């Protein structure tokens, strides 16, 4: 079956531009997570959705970052006025249930480069 | 504070040698711990979780609360084990995984 997909796979943005990153989770998965992975680091949590509800956004680094999942399926991570420090791989993961102890299925990531 | 530490950035072993990838954590209460693996040009995937107490691809990990460790072990490494390994901890709120920085395992013949 289809796994988690993300688009675009690569994005180059000029400093100050807005970007939108899309995540298509596995069909029927309740939980959706966004992580940011800087070069040489492990993934760092950004935000968590349970269906359409954003239950935890404590990892979003600034108010320039915004995420939504309006119908409880596809999610979009938006970064406004991009800065060089936003350059990273953005990973989306989904899980079949609401409990974080269940397996998270990761997408391939979107590599964002801000020039 | 909730934290995961993987002290080794790179671990190089020969095929057939034992492997131990170290993971230490900081957490109040009973932790839920995982190992995730990323093979070359593949996406991050779950290897094993401590609540399952299972062996996957010959790997095992035992939670040691006294030493706050969850080291990943395999008695005989194979070349196909070469990958990046991440130790992860479920946060207190149950809303996210906290990952370590990862250890690259390189198995050569």
């Amino acid at each position: 079956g289809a796994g988690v997909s993300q688009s675009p796979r690569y994005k180059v943005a000029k400093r100050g531009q807005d970007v939108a990153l899309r995540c298509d989770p596995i069909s029927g998965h309740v939980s959706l997570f966004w992580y940011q992975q800087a070069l040489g680091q492990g993934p760092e949590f950004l935000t968590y959705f349970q269906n359409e509800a954003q239950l935890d956004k404590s990892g979003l680094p600034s108010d320039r970052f915004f995420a939504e999942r309006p119908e409880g399926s596809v999610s979009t991570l938006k970064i406004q006025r991009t800065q060089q420090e936003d350059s990273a791989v953005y990973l989306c993961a989904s899980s079949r249930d609401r409990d974080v102890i269940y397996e998270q299925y990761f997408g391939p990531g979107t590599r964002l480069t801000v020039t | 504070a909730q934290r995961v530490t993987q002290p080794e950035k790179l671990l190089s072993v020969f095929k057939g040698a034992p492997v131990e990838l170290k993971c230490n954590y900081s957490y109040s209460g009973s932790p839920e711990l995982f190992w995730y693996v990323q093979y070359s040009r593949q996406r991050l995937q779950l290897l094993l979780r401590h609540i399952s107490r299972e062996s996957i691809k010959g790997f095992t990990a035992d939670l040691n609360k006294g030493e706050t460790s969850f080291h990943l072990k395999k008695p005989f490494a194979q070349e196909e084990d070469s990958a990046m390994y991440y130790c992860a901890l479920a946060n207190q709120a149950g809303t996210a995984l906290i990952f370590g920085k990862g250890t690259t395992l390189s198995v050569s013949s």
Side-chain angles (χ1 to χ4, degrees):
Chain A
V4 177
S5 61
Q6 293 184 247
S7 60
R9 291 292 315 279
Y10 304 90
K11 176 70 179 177
V12 178
K14 290 189 177 176
R15 190 162 60 93
Q17 280 184 332
D18 297 349
V19 298
L21 312 181
R22 178 187 168 109
C23 172
D24 284 81
I26 294 172
S27 177
H29 275 198
V30 168
S31 297
L32 186 144
F33 308 83
W34 283 99
Y35 294 88
Q36 180 190 58
Q37 186 171 22
L39 192 62
Q41 304 294 316
E44 289 195 8
F45 170 72
L46 294 176
T47 188
Y48 163 62
F49 289 88
Q50 188 180 114
N51 296 307
E52 69 279 3
Q54 189 175 21
L55 297 187
D56 188 344
K57 54 182 181 179
S58 63
L60 296 177
S62 77
D63 59 8
R64 296 186 296 103
F65 286 71
F66 172 76
E68 60 183 3
R69 192 186 186 199
E71 296 177 0
S73 178
V74 171
S75 177
T76 304
L77 176 67
K78 297 179 180 177
I79 308 173
Q80 297 177 322
R81 304 181 303 282
T82 52
Q83 304 294 314
Q84 282 196 312
E85 61 262 29
D86 299 335
S87 295
V89 175
Y90 290 85
L91 295 169
C92 175
S94 71
S95 179
R96 66 176 174 87
D97 210 325
R98 64 191 62 173
D99 198 318
V100 76
I101 68 169
Y102 288 97
E103 179 171 0
Q104 292 189 22
Y105 293 83
F106 282 81
T110 293
R111 182 176 297 279
L112 173 64
T113 302
V114 181
T115 60
Chain B
Q2 304 164 75
R3 189 168 54 246
V4 174
T5 303
Q6 294 181 252
E8 303 144 325
K9 201 167 183 176
L10 172 66
L11 183 63
S12 296
V13 301
F14 287 108
K15 177 182 169 182
V19 168
E20 182 178 68
L21 298 166
K22 291 184 167 49
C23 172
N24 289 89
Y25 66 90
S26 173
Y27 188 86
S28 296
S30 294
E32 299 287 351
L33 286 151
F34 308 80
W35 277 97
Y36 275 78
V37 61
Q38 187 166 25
Y39 300 102
S40 179
R41 289 184 291 279
Q42 294 187 28
R43 55 188 71 186
L44 197 57
Q45 59 186 279
L46 177 68
L47 180 62
L48 57 80
R49 48 193 164 186
H50 93 271
I51 58 168
S52 300
R53 295 188 164 275
E54 54 196 346
S55 172
I56 303 292
K57 299 185 179 183
F59 284 98
T60 59
D62 291 318
L63 177 61
N64 185 322
K65 289 188 178 181
E67 296 183 358
T68 59
S69 69
F70 187 58
H71 303 329
L72 183 68
K73 299 177 184 179
K74 184 170 183 176
F76 307 103
Q78 302 299 315
E79 288 183 78
E80 54 266 31
D81 296 329
S82 296
M84 175 71 88
Y85 291 80
Y86 294 97
C87 183
L89 168 70
N91 69 354
Q92 294 263 358
T95 57
L97 294 177
I98 300 165
F99 285 87
K101 291 188 177 182
T103 298
T104 299
L105 174 64
S106 176
V107 182
S108 55
S109 56

